[in-house]
């Protein structure tokens, strides 16, 4: 029997509200399949299952808020037979595994180095209150208990039934996003000894190459400079692993995979930095398509659990906002963030001459616990070299 | 803005609104660069052009990008491709 748990939703997200199951008991599921949708303060996250198997029992009901790590369902392994006692269909067990956090409590960032879920806060719902809730169609997770130890009474259920319906999660999302960013960035500034390096990169060759590439293609197949920058960073990160991965429990865990978190500003305010997976291994056209899809889903608030949980370093591009450079704040537990400013024409010496040169300033914010300025400088120089040799980014 | 331009302009504003829902279409100045008025990053801009490309069944070449800055620029670019309206052209080229 496999326990399917709510996976990590990023270091700044410690719980989620189950919106919907996408599978039923008895369904066969494949690795990577989306099996549920969970609402967090930042987005609705489609939760992928990382096992092949058959759904045995769904343990958590839609509408329930549960901490990361909660067992959501049990699965039978391929070939495994069901235990003799049949599960109670898709019905959850009578006692929900956790209660919804009262709305006024802001989400708190929990260090990702403590992946164990905190024990669920249990509270008592009297059988009479439960019956009343059922009769009046009240979601018990939305009821604030006023009895002893937060127990839910009939009066509580009545009050909830008569109060206006709770606001849609999306209405509160802007405030939730702000709180979540505040927690993650405070933690970053408190814990991570940042150092910063900057490098100005000439772009004449790259832009000419890009223009030539795009000239021959339909508008839907054209590539943006931002994607070349992301790829240059990813290839450099593979060569300098101390800038890639996570700082957990006082140690740097470098990652052999390079999943680039792409900082996406949201129209309602705030930002989210979901992962483009395996950037060094994908052709540039594939990356461009995935980049466009990721940004549009991030803005629509529809991301997958793997995208929010596993970026190994982040790239932020503030160039379109018209700034020259960005000195970023690392998204913990990552150890580096690379920023790009706008493309600016600067005078640039070539031999004895000065030329008007399109340039971009690349910056590195890095965790001094995991790397030093010397290696950080080599990393940034490597990005410079790759970005000025666009043919190296294509293969 | 002439009446001739009304239809493509409305379509363009609808496309812009689908990308940047916070805009008030009537506040968009037709002769000011769009990206000075609306918060559009490079991907938003590309998506805007892709949607125009699709809505008018045209093919926007990359060499045309620099001349497509304002709403009226785009209307001027579209007019000869999607056909002149029957009325006399009032605006200057």
């Amino acid at each position: 029997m496999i326990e399917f748990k709510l996976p990590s939703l990023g270091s700044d997200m410690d719980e989620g509200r189950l919106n919907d199951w996408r599978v039923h008991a008895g369904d066969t599921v494949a690795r990577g399949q989306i099996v549920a949708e969970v609402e967090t303060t930042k987005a609705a996250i489609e939760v992928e299952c990382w096992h092949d198997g058959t759904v045995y029992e769904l343990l958590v009901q839609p509408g329930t808020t549960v901490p990361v790590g909660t067992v959501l369902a049990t699965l039978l392994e391929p070939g495994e037979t069901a235990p003799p006692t049949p599960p109670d269909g898709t019905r959850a067990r009578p006692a929900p595994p956790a209660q919804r956090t009262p709305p006024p409590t802001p989400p708190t960032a929990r260090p990702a180095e403590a992946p164990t879920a905190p024990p669920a806060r249990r509270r008592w719902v009297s059988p009479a209150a439960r019956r009343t809730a059922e009769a009046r169609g009240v979601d018990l997770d939305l009821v604030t208990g006023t009895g002893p130890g937060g127990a839910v009474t009939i009066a509580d259920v009545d009050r909830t039934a008569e109060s206006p319906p709770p606001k849609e999660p999306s209405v509160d999302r802007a405030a939730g996003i702000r709180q979540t960013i505040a927690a993650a960035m405070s933690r970053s500034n408190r814990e991570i000894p940042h150092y910063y390096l900057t490098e100005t990169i000439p772009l004449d060759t790259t832009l000419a190459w890009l223009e030539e590439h795009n000239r021959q293609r339909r508008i839907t197949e054209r590539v943006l400079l931002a994607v070349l920058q992301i790829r240059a960073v990813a290839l450099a990160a593979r060569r300098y692993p101390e800038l890639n991965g996570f700082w957990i429990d006082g140690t740097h865990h470098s990652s052999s995979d390079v999943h680039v978190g792409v900082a996406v500003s949201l129209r309602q305010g705030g930002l989210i930095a979901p992962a483009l997976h395996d950037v060094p291994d994908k052709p540039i056209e594939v990356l461009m398509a995935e980049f466009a899809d990721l940004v549009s889903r991030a803005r629509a608030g529809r991301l997958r659990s793997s995208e929010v949980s596993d970026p190994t370093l982040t790239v932020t591009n503030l160039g379109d906002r018209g700034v020259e450079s960005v000195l970023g704040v690392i998204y913990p537990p990552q150890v580096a963030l690379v920023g790009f400013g706008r493309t600016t024409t600067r005078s640039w010496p070539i031999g004895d001459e000065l030329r008007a040169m399109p340039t971009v300033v690349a910056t590195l914010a890095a965790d001094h616990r995991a790397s030093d300025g010397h290696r950080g400088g080599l990393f940034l120089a490597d990005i410079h070299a790759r970005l000025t040799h666009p043919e190296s980014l294509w293969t | 803005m002439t009446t001739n331009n009304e239809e493509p302009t409305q379509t363009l504003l609808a496309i812009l609104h689908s990308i940047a829902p916070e805009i008030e279409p009537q506040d968009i100045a037709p002769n000011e660069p769009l990206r000075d008025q609306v918060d559009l990053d490079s991907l938003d801009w590309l998506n805007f052009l892709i949607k125009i490309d699709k809505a008018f069944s045209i093919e926007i070449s990359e060499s045309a990008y620099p001349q497509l800055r304002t709403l009226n620029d785009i209307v001027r670019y579209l007019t000869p491709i999607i056909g002149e309206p029957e009325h006399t052209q009032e605006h200057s080229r």
Side-chain angles (χ1 to χ4, degrees):
Chain A
M1 191 78 79
I2 302 163
E3 290 189 329
F4 170 62
K5 294 177 181 169
L6 180 62
S8 161
L9 302 169
S11 63
D12 52 4
M13 214 64 71
D14 61 355
E15 62 179 18
R17 176 180 180 271
L18 181 70
N19 276 351
D20 223 350
W21 279 109
R22 303 279 181 85
V23 291
H24 302 97
D27 286 358
T28 306
V29 292
R31 192 180 148 78
Q33 185 178 333
I34 291 159
V35 295
E37 185 186 279
V38 168
E39 186 83 22
T40 70
T41 48
K42 275 196 167 181
I45 310 283
E46 293 180 319
V47 181
E48 299 139 304
C49 173
W50 295 108
H51 311 279
D52 290 325
T54 305
V55 179
Y56 179 65
E57 191 177 9
L58 304 179
L59 300 172
V60 173
Q61 290 278 38
T64 314
T65 298
V66 292
V68 165
T70 303
V71 179
L72 298 178
T74 49
L75 310 178
L76 298 173
E77 290 186 53
E80 186 182 353
T81 46
T85 319
D88 183 18
T90 60
R91 293 278 79 96
R93 287 161 185 174
Q99 271 71 43
R100 185 188 169 82
T101 309
T105 311
T108 48
R110 215 164 42 78
E113 53 263 39
T116 326
R121 295 172 291 271
R122 288 182 178 280
R123 61 179 188 169
W124 193 71
V125 183
S126 76
R130 197 175 290 282
R131 277 195 301 276
T132 309
E134 211 163 290
R136 302 196 65 165
V138 172
D139 181 353
L140 278 171
D141 292 320
L142 303 178
V143 179
T144 308
T146 59
V152 174
T153 65
I154 295 177
D156 294 329
V157 174
D158 285 340
R159 198 171 42 252
T160 306
E162 281 143 28
S163 65
K167 281 191 271 181
E168 286 297 308
S170 58
V171 177
D172 288 336
R173 192 167 278 163
I177 287 173
R178 208 60 260 157
Q179 291 286 351
T180 309
I181 294 170
M185 294 298 100
S186 299
R187 177 183 161 207
S188 177
N189 245 19
R190 194 171 58 240
E191 294 180 6
I192 303 179
H194 287 65
Y195 68 89
Y196 302 98
L197 303 173
T198 70
E199 172 76 354
T200 304
I201 303 174
L203 287 178
D204 54 342
T205 315
T206 313
L207 294 179
W209 180 284
L210 199 56
E211 199 177 320
E212 180 57 23
H213 174 89
N214 286 343
R215 198 172 58 76
Q216 303 165 5
R217 279 164 183 82
R218 287 269 310 135
I219 191 167
T220 47
E221 290 159 11
R222 286 174 201 156
V223 172
L224 292 173
L225 178 63
V227 174
L228 300 191
Q229 292 169 338
I230 288 168
R231 184 160 171 93
V233 170
L235 291 167
R238 182 163 273 182
R239 184 161 169 202
Y240 294 93
E242 57 268 63
L243 281 307
N244 188 49
F246 310 104
W247 184 267
I248 296 171
D249 291 338
T251 319
H252 179 227
H253 299 254
S254 68
S255 168
S256 54
D257 297 323
V258 183
H259 306 311
V260 177
V262 179
V264 179
S265 62
L266 303 175
R267 293 213 162 265
Q268 70 270 35
L271 83 159
I272 192 163
L276 264 182
H277 289 126
D278 300 311
V279 174
D281 307 322
K282 289 176 179 162
I284 208 88
E285 289 84 359
V286 173
L287 282 179
M288 178 64 211
E290 290 190 1
F291 171 75
D293 176 56
L294 186 71
V295 173
S296 81
R297 283 189 296 107
R299 292 211 166 121
R302 300 209 72 80
L303 291 165
R304 298 186 189 122
S305 50
S306 60
E307 291 165 342
V308 290
S309 68
D310 66 4
T312 58
L313 84 166
T314 295
V315 171
T316 185
N317 188 327
L318 279 187
D320 290 303
R321 297 297 176 86
V323 294
E324 286 193 347
S325 65
V326 47
L327 300 165
V329 181
I330 299 166
Y331 188 85
Q334 294 167 37
V335 294
L337 177 142
V338 177
F340 291 97
R342 74 167 184 269
T343 304
T344 308
T345 304
R346 291 179 170 84
S347 62
W348 194 264
I350 292 180
D352 293 336
E353 284 179 26
L354 277 183
R355 269 219 249 142
M357 172 70 76
T359 61
V360 67
V361 176
T363 56
L364 169 68
D367 185 337
H368 218 326
R369 297 171 301 181
S371 68
D372 303 314
H374 175 65
R375 295 290 285 176
L378 291 174
F379 172 68
L380 213 43
D382 196 61
I383 293 170
H384 179 138
R386 291 175 194 276
L387 210 48
T388 48
H389 293 88
E391 69 283 357
S392 73
L393 301 172
W394 240 260
T395 43
Chain B
M1 189 101 309
T2 67
T3 47
N4 299 340
N5 293 340
E6 230 164 64
E7 212 180 295
T9 302
Q10 290 313 313
T11 308
L12 292 175
L13 286 170
I15 293 170
L16 191 60
H17 189 258
S18 73
I19 290 167
E22 73 278 10
I23 64 159
E24 299 289 346
Q26 68 273 17
D27 293 347
I28 301 294
N31 289 312
E32 297 287 322
L34 279 170
R35 291 182 73 179
D36 290 353
Q37 304 179 70
V38 186
D39 184 8
L40 298 171
D41 64 21
S42 57
L43 185 61
D44 292 328
W45 186 251
L46 179 62
N47 283 334
F48 178 56
L49 296 179
I50 287 174
K51 287 187 174 189
I52 294 171
D53 189 277
K54 208 170 158 193
F56 293 96
S57 303
I58 57 167
E59 197 153 319
I60 300 176
S61 64
E62 178 159 279
S63 58
Y65 285 12
Q67 48 174 303
L68 305 177
R69 297 177 67 233
T70 72
L71 207 51
N72 276 353
D73 285 345
I74 302 172
V75 173
R76 270 195 290 277
Y77 176 80
L78 290 173
T79 308
I81 306 175
I82 62 176
E84 301 275 345
E86 282 174 17
H87 315 285
T88 322
Q89 286 293 102
E90 286 168 27
H91 64 276
S92 57
R93 296 264 163 142

